[in-house]
Amino acid sequence: MAQKTAHHCLLAPLATLVMGVATVTQGAAAQVSTPPPAPQQASPMQEGVRRHERLTQQVPPGVALPLTLPGGATGELYLTKAARGQRNVSVLLHFHGAAWIPQQAAESQGRPLVVVSLSLGSGSGIYDRTFRAPGMTDSLMARTQATVDSLAGRRVDVNRVYLTGFSAGHGAIRVILRDSAWMHRVNGVLLMDGMHTSYVPEGVPLASGGALDSLNLLALTAYARRAARGDADTRMVVTHSEIFPGTFASTTETAAWMLQSLGMAEQPVLKWGPRGLQQIGEAKRGRLLVMGFAGNSAPDHIDHYHAMPELLRRLVR
């Protein structure tokens, strides 16, 4: 199971979220058996209770430049307004989704931040494979450093590194944290409704006797343990929805596995979260924060990404 990853992304339109249609054989003599549950990603259900507030894209006041990864993949580097002219900055490596959202989230912090946004494709597998390449993270940081130095016309010191991922983007973060050097260099991790793994056996959910493939969760949990201990300059924020993908583990199930590994449990709460999110659970210890939110539809998933300005504020301090 070492190479198995959840090759799904919950950003597909609602029309594509239901996979499989039960068919019934016609004819009086036909024997009709009950079909197995259809695999799904997010529920196609529509509801109008939650607000699903969305950020409005604006012209950023900072500087944005294309950035090419080793191997040819492209991303975008953004220097916040507060970072211009500074000799010390923090770097935020963001994985998955439109680049303007992490840029706007970083700008709202009013801090000298450099954002590198990478959106490589659907499913955590492509992020996993990309950052499994030897030296990929080091090369990305070297190119980031060189670009920032070039913009400033002198050497700029990077004093903190943050990793943020939405949905499938967690695939890169788990690989980066498997490197012990990066485990101790990263100062903060934000996972927005995006900590998934496979079931064992493949496609068999917990309710049917399956188990979680923990391999993809070990490095993330190791970092969570450091944050829960209160290690200096180490923070972790994890959010999850109620979405049940069916063919691979939900963020609710993986968050519960992580917390159980740390001797913790999520406690029920009822309060408003950012952007109209409705928080229903929370676990907090040291510098680790896990928050559960209501919702089993595609818009509920996107809510987590548009809440990034508020969520990032809990990480970047």
Side-chain angles (χ1 to χ4, degrees):
M1 301 300 297
Q3 301 302 319
K4 290 182 179 178
T5 54
H7 300 285
H8 298 77
C9 175
L10 303 177
L11 292 175
L14 285 177
T16 65
L17 292 176
V18 178
M19 302 168 58
V21 178
T23 59
V24 178
T25 304
Q26 301 296 321
Q31 298 295 317
V32 181
S33 60
T34 302
Q40 63 178 31
Q41 292 184 7
S43 167
M45 175 188 68
Q46 296 186 13
E47 53 80 27
V49 177
R50 285 182 289 279
R51 297 195 296 270
H52 303 301
E53 296 175 7
R54 298 291 179 255
L55 298 171
T56 300
Q57 186 173 1
Q58 302 171 349
V59 177
V63 178
L65 295 170
L67 188 71
T68 303
L69 279 71
T74 58
E76 191 164 288
L77 182 145
Y78 178 76
L79 194 75
T80 62
K81 182 179 179 180
R84 287 184 290 184
Q86 296 295 317
R87 293 184 176 274
N88 296 278
V89 298
S90 297
V91 169
L92 189 158
L93 301 180
H94 175 77
F95 304 98
H96 205 63
W100 67 268
I101 291 181
Q103 292 172 3
Q104 192 166 314
E107 197 66 63
S108 71
Q109 309 305 309
R111 295 174 177 270
L113 289 168
V114 175
V115 183
V116 176
S117 302
L118 302 172
S119 196
L120 305 180
S122 298
S124 61
I126 189 169
Y127 292 93
D128 188 295
R129 292 189 298 274
T130 298
F131 281 85
R132 229 186 294 149
M136 175 60 77
T137 309
D138 292 334
S139 296
L140 175 59
M141 281 299 299
R143 294 189 182 197
T144 299
Q145 180 76 63
T147 304
V148 173
D149 291 349
S150 178
L151 286 171
R154 53 178 165 74
R155 176 73 178 185
V156 176
D157 292 328
V158 174
N159 53 17
R160 283 184 173 82
V161 177
Y162 300 100
L163 305 179
T164 66
F166 169 60
S167 192
H170 77 281
I173 297 176
R174 71 192 183 207
V175 174
I176 293 171
L177 293 179
R178 285 175 193 157
D179 184 324
S180 60
W182 278 102
M183 170 71 75
H184 290 86
R185 184 178 179 185
V186 170
N187 302 103
V189 171
L190 169 61
L191 299 178
M192 294 167 281
D193 201 26
M195 183 166 59
H196 291 288
T197 192
S198 300
Y199 289 123
V200 183
E202 186 79 22
V204 180
L206 301 183
S208 299
L212 299 188
D213 180 358
S214 61
L215 181 64
N216 290 330
L217 306 177
L218 295 179
L220 297 169
T221 301
Y223 192 86
R225 183 172 288 106
R226 294 189 63 221
R229 285 199 307 257
D231 287 10
D233 279 334
T234 301
R235 291 185 184 276
M236 188 173 194
V237 178
V238 179
T239 73
H240 68 84
S241 66
E242 295 180 298
I243 294 171
F244 177 66
T247 55
F248 57 95
S250 69
T251 54
T252 295
E253 292 167 326
T254 57
W257 189 94
M258 170 184 282
L259 290 172
Q260 185 178 24
S261 299
L262 302 177
M264 300 172 60
E266 198 168 351
Q267 301 301 315
V269 299
L270 288 174
K271 59 183 179 182
W272 287 107
R275 307 288 159 181
L277 281 163
Q278 293 177 300
Q279 189 175 350
I280 57 174
E282 183 171 302
K284 186 175 182 179
R285 179 185 293 172
R287 293 184 172 90
L288 171 66
L289 175 63
V290 177
M291 295 181 288
F293 295 95
N296 184 36
S297 67
D300 294 307
H301 181 56
I302 307 299
D303 287 348
H304 292 244
Y305 197 28
H306 282 260
M308 189 173 178
E310 292 83 1
L311 296 173
L312 190 60
R313 196 163 295 126
R314 293 176 175 267
L315 189 75
V316 178
R317 300 186 180 185

